[in-house]
């Protein structure tokens, strides 16, 4: 449940806060920031379609690991921001990288909890995702208001780090009986 809470919160946080980060903190012109904030959702959509096509070839576990690691890498790039275009590149990387995560986590539920508990667990996961979609971006806003908008990439690096640990910790467990 915590993975769904954090993942959905991170997904929505990026979508919600990217434009503000780019325009108000990184001085990206509003037209460019709008285009690249939109590119987050465009690369997300492309990534979701490609993930569906690549799942048979690479397996959902490999796509999830790659997605988590690339999202973390993109978040680190967004935080580090070593050159002016880094923020823009990072936004696209993150959008593409996170695309397979939600459907992959849902489809792997029965392997994690057992077939008998899968339906109820998926319902709870979706509820946790909705709650995370409200709480995690809100907390990012509190951090931005009390520290700065530059706290958001640091926060999201932390969220993706926790997600990787949670995923790796649960992906090897035997299903509950």
């Amino acid at each position: 449940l915590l993975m769904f809470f954090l993942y959905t919160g991170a997904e929505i946080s990026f979508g919600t806060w990217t434009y503000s980060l780019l325009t108000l903190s990184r001085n990206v012109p509003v037209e460019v920031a709008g285009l690249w904030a939109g590119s987050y959702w465009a690369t997300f959509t492309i990534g979701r379609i490609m993930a569906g096509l690549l799942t048979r070839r690479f397996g959902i576990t490999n796509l999830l690991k790659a997605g988590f690691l690339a999202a973390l890498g993109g978040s680190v790039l967004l935080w580090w921001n070593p050159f002016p275009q880094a923020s823009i590149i990072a936004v696209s990387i993150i959008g593409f990288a996170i695309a397979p995560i939600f459907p992959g986590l849902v489809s792997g539920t029965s392997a994690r909890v057992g077939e008998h508990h899968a339906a109820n667990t998926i319902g709870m996961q979706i509820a946790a995702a909705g709650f995370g979609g409200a709480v995690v971006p809100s907390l990012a806003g509190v951090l931005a208001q009390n520290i700065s908008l530059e706290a958001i990439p640091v926060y999201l690096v932390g969220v993706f780090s926790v997600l990787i640990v949670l995923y790796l910790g649960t992906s090897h467990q035997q299903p509950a009986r």
Side-chain angles (χ1 to χ4, degrees), residues 137-155:
S138 298
L139 184 53
V142 169
L143 291 172
Q145 183 176 21
N146 292 312
I147 300 171
S148 86
L149 283 165
E150 292 298 326
I152 293 172
V154 178
Y155 170 63

Side-chain angles (χ1 to χ4, degrees), residues 80-171:
W80 181 30
N81 196 33
F83 53 92
Q85 298 81 11
S87 299
I88 294 167
I89 293 167
V91 169
S92 295
I93 290 170
I94 295 162
F96 188 78
I98 67 172
I101 295 175
F102 190 87
L105 288 175
V106 172
S107 68
T109 298
S110 62
R112 286 189 304 276
V113 302
E115 195 66 41
H116 181 71
H117 299 289
N120 289 334
T121 302
I122 289 171
M124 290 185 281
Q125 289 169 338
I126 301 307
F131 189 50
V135 172
V136 175
S138 298
L139 184 53
V142 169
L143 291 172
Q145 183 176 21
N146 292 312
I147 300 171
S148 86
L149 283 165
E150 292 298 326
I152 293 172
V154 178
Y155 170 63
L156 292 170
V157 165
V159 170
F160 274 108
S161 297
V162 170
L163 276 166
I164 289 169
V165 169
L166 289 171
Y167 178 70
L168 294 175
T170 60
S171 63

Side-chain angles (χ1 to χ4, degrees), residues 19-41:
Y19 181 81
S20 296
L21 176 69
L22 294 176
T23 57
L24 300 175
S25 185
R26 307 235 169 130
N27 298 317
V28 174
V30 294
E31 299 83 8
V32 174
L35 178 67
W36 285 101
S39 80
Y40 167 76
W41 295 111

Side-chain angles (χ1 to χ4, degrees), residues 2-83:
L2 185 56
M3 282 192 297
F4 282 82
F5 176 88
L6 291 173
Y7 165 76
T8 304
E11 175 187 308
I12 293 172
S13 292
F14 275 114
T16 302
W17 289 105
T18 296
Y19 181 81
S20 296
L21 176 69
L22 294 176
T23 57
L24 300 175
S25 185
R26 307 235 169 130
N27 298 317
V28 174
V30 294
E31 299 83 8
V32 174
L35 178 67
W36 285 101
S39 80
Y40 167 76
W41 295 111
T43 57
F44 177 87
T45 302
I46 292 166
R48 187 86 28 114
I49 293 166
M50 288 185 65
L53 299 172
L54 296 174
T55 299
R56 283 190 182 166
R57 183 174 213 183
F58 297 105
I60 195 62
T61 301
N62 290 330
L63 284 179
L64 285 172
K65 287 177 185 176
F68 278 126
L69 290 174
L72 179 60
S75 299
V76 168
L77 181 61
L78 187 64
W79 174 15
W80 181 30
N81 196 33
F83 53 92

